[in-house]
Amino acid sequence: MLGGSLFIALTRFILSIIGIIIFYVLISTPRFDIKKTIQFYSFFTVAASMLLGVWYIKDWKSCVRIGPFTAYISFIIFAIFMSSGSLFLSIYKLALDFYLLALFMVGGIEISVIFFDRSIWADIIVRIILIIIIAYFINKYLKETIKAFSIYVEEELDWFSAAVMIVSLFFGIGYILSPRHENTPFRLFQIGMNFFLTGTLQILIYRLYLHIGKEQEYQKENQLMHMNHRLLERQMEILDESVASSRRICHDIRHHNTVIAEFAQRGQYKELLQYLKEYEKITNIEVNKFICANTAVNNILSAYTRKAEKENINVTMDVELERKFPIPNIDLVTILSNAYENAIYGCMEVLKHEEKECFINIFIKRKKNKLVICCRNTCQAETEIMHGQPKPEFTGGVGVSSIVKTAEKYGGEYDFKNDNGIFVFRLIMNIPQ
């Protein structure tokens, strides 16, 4: 430690606190808005400085020995409160924060000792320069990637791995910050190696979870591609059916005209009316059922309903959607097609193992500024829910992540459950104004 008066000691302490606050704000997500965040951190800095100043006057030796350590422990608790992230994610970011603290503190001290004959002001100036350089580097190159990394860590990190990782990091940082009085090349080598090893550990962890997260993103993109492929197949089925129906009508129209003309020439008007009624019934069967006014939703539900009925699945629907709905059709179709296909898959799995009457019930309605969707279907009794979602083997492997991703886009709240062999999917989404 370099010596100094109360003013110098507080200056160095306040500088260290400001440094770790700046770094932590840059890499974390604050719980409060900018104004409140600045107020809270300013209050902490002032309060910690005043208490440390009083301690420094009363008992200089104990303050120098354990004062900063006590202040940093207090900062850890305060920073966790100020962050909106999970506990382990906040502690990991604090470990990175304290590594950067060690970097500018040790850097300032060593440069002062080696090049400026232990000058206190050289230590302070070097710390300020290092804080500015590190903050600039984080803001320009790491800020956005750390945000993405944070999402991946929250999704993938387990408690045991987090605990081992954080303990390892803090032990390394604690060893770096531990005071040493000898001034030898070997000591500098030790400091350098500790910085290198601890920094390498940080980078490896960072790249590991970044890779895991990107792999998950690739899987989701792959699922979206499969979903789009299935949607195109359904649209092609609708188109093919329409074309086949049109060809059949064009082919048969000549025969119908001949029959109608024959009835008219013979004056058999009752028989003609009966023939026209029968013809109307046939044409009505071949036309898509009217489910709702929204064309895209009507078509996709019609296509999947025909598929379900071919598998002897009883389908009932209560759907009310206007033609021009505020939520884009592609998002509505994404949710409904995946939910419907998963429901059909669930029923077909039941029919493979037992003769049972399967059903699908779909409810879609607008409630003020909310869209309510509920899909109930027969499913296997052993269908399991993990992390709030059905396991892939019970849904055909795809679809659920697309539903969740689209629902979250509109602040949706969703729920999946197995109600004694009846699978229930419920979703409430905000409708854009």
Side-chain angles (χ1 to χ4, degrees):
M1 292 290 293
L2 299 176
S5 63
L6 173 63
F7 173 75
I8 295 297
L10 286 180
T11 299
R12 295 166 70 189
F13 173 74
I14 292 171
L15 192 60
S16 299
I17 288 293
I18 290 174
I20 59 174
I21 288 175
I22 291 173
F23 300 155
Y24 190 71
V25 169
L26 286 174
I27 63 178
S28 66
T29 305
R31 184 185 298 271
F32 307 103
D33 57 39
I34 297 176
K35 184 178 179 181
K36 283 188 176 181
T37 300
I38 293 173
Q39 289 175 348
F40 278 122
Y41 278 121
S42 299
F43 172 78
F44 175 83
T45 304
V46 172
S49 302
M50 290 178 63
L51 292 173
L52 199 66
V54 173
W55 190 356
Y56 193 87
I57 294 172
K58 295 290 185 181
D59 189 353
W60 178 83
K61 289 184 179 180
S62 65
C63 181
V64 170
R65 189 171 64 254
I66 62 173
F69 176 77
T70 304
Y72 294 143
I73 292 296
S74 302
F75 175 76
I76 290 174
I77 298 171
F78 183 76
I80 290 172
F81 165 74
M82 291 294 294
S83 175
S84 63
S86 62
L87 176 62
F88 273 118
L89 182 60
S90 299
I91 295 177
Y92 169 77
K93 290 183 177 180
L94 281 166
L96 174 60
D97 198 10
F98 278 93
Y99 177 79
L100 298 175
L101 166 70
L103 189 64
F104 74 76
M105 281 183 63
V106 174
I109 292 173
E110 295 303 321
I111 290 174
S112 175
V113 169
I114 296 170
F115 298 104
F116 297 98
D117 193 25
R118 295 178 178 269
S119 170
I120 293 172
W121 291 109
D123 172 37
I124 292 174
I125 292 171
V126 171
R127 290 188 188 196
I128 293 173
I129 293 172
L130 289 175
I131 289 172
I132 293 172
I133 292 173
I134 294 170
Y136 173 80
F137 182 80
I138 292 173
N139 188 61
K140 187 171 181 64
Y141 298 105
L142 293 180
K143 189 175 181 179
E144 295 303 321
T145 55
I146 286 177
K147 286 183 179 179
F149 167 76
S150 302
I151 296 171
Y152 301 148
V153 170
E154 286 187 327
E155 291 177 350
E156 303 297 332
L157 194 64
D158 61 275
W159 284 59
F160 178 77
S161 300
V164 172
M165 174 186 73
I166 291 165
V167 169
S168 302
L169 289 173
F170 273 111
F171 267 120
I173 295 165
Y175 186 77
I176 290 172
L177 289 174
S178 61
R180 295 174 182 82
H181 300 288
E182 70 276 11
N183 187 16
T184 63
F186 181 70
R187 179 181 66 87
L188 295 177
F189 175 77
Q190 280 185 314
I191 293 173
M193 285 304 298
N194 282 320
F195 267 115
F196 173 75
L197 293 174
T198 308
T200 302
L201 178 60
Q202 295 260 11
I203 293 171
L204 287 175
I205 293 168
Y206 174 79
R207 290 186 64 83
L208 171 65
Y209 283 101
L210 200 63
H211 173 76
I212 292 173
K214 286 183 177 180
E215 186 67 25
Q216 292 293 331
E217 289 293 326
Y218 293 148
Q219 290 181 6
K220 290 179 181 178
E221 292 296 328
N222 187 40
Q223 289 181 356
L224 288 175
M225 290 176 62
H226 282 292
M227 179 206 70
N228 290 331
H229 178 71
R230 294 199 312 274
L231 291 180
L232 287 173
E233 285 182 340
R234 300 296 167 258
Q235 293 294 337
M236 289 299 296
E237 286 177 8
I238 295 171
L239 181 61
D240 289 343
E241 289 174 1
S242 298
V243 171
S245 178
S246 298
R247 287 176 178 174
R248 188 167 55 255
I249 291 173
C250 290
H251 181 268
D252 294 341
I253 194 73
R254 183 178 67 257
H255 302 292
H256 293 304
N257 288 339
T258 302
V259 172
I260 291 171
E262 188 67 24
F263 277 127
Q265 288 177 358
R266 294 183 179 184
Q268 297 174 327
Y269 299 113
K270 289 183 179 180
E271 290 81 357
L272 175 59
L273 289 175
Q274 182 64 30
Y275 178 80
L276 291 175
K277 288 179 180 178
E278 291 176 358
Y279 181 69
E280 184 181 4
K281 288 180 181 179
I282 295 172
T283 54
N284 283 339
I285 291 173
E286 294 179 348
V287 175
N288 281 346
K289 296 178 180 178
F290 178 81
I291 300 173
C292 68
N294 188 288
T295 305
V297 173
N298 189 87
N299 287 343
I300 203 68
L301 291 180
S302 296
Y304 277 103
T305 299
R306 287 195 295 273
K307 181 179 178 180
E309 290 174 346
K310 287 178 182 178
E311 301 293 338
N312 296 319
I313 301 171
N314 184 31
V315 179
T316 57
M317 287 185 283
D318 185 2
V319 181
E320 292 182 10
L321 279 183
E322 57 264 37
R323 183 172 177 272
K324 292 184 178 181
F325 199 70
I327 296 177
N329 287 335
I330 185 63
D331 292 329
L332 289 173
V333 169
T334 297
I335 294 171
L336 296 176
S337 62
N338 281 291
Y340 209 155
E341 184 152 318
N342 289 343
I344 293 173
Y345 179 86
C347 291
M348 290 174 64
E349 287 298 301
V350 173
L351 293 172
K352 285 181 182 178
H353 300 92
E354 57 181 309
E355 292 185 4
K356 183 178 180 180
E357 185 175 351
C358 294
F359 75 91
I360 298 174
N361 175 257
I362 296 176
F363 175 90
I364 308 171
K365 282 192 179 179
R366 178 176 185 164
K367 303 284 187 180
K368 296 182 179 179
N369 64 331
K370 304 285 186 182
L371 176 64
V372 180
I373 298 174
C374 180
C375 180
R376 301 171 69 253
N377 63 273
T378 311
C379 70
Q380 299 178 78
E382 59 270 20
T383 300
E384 297 180 24
I385 307 295
M386 183 176 64
H387 303 309
Q389 298 179 17
K391 288 186 175 182
E393 57 265 32
F394 296 105
T395 61
V398 295
V400 174
S401 60
S402 300
I403 294 173
V404 170
K405 190 172 183 179
T406 307
E408 289 176 346
K409 181 179 175 181
Y410 298 94
E413 296 181 6
Y414 53 87
D415 174 48
F416 299 91
K417 69 175 182 178
N418 180 359
D419 187 11
N420 296 322
I422 306 298
F423 188 81
V424 182
F425 160 59
R426 294 178 295 184
L427 171 64
I428 300 178
M429 290 197 308
N430 296 319
I431 299 175
Q433 299 299 318

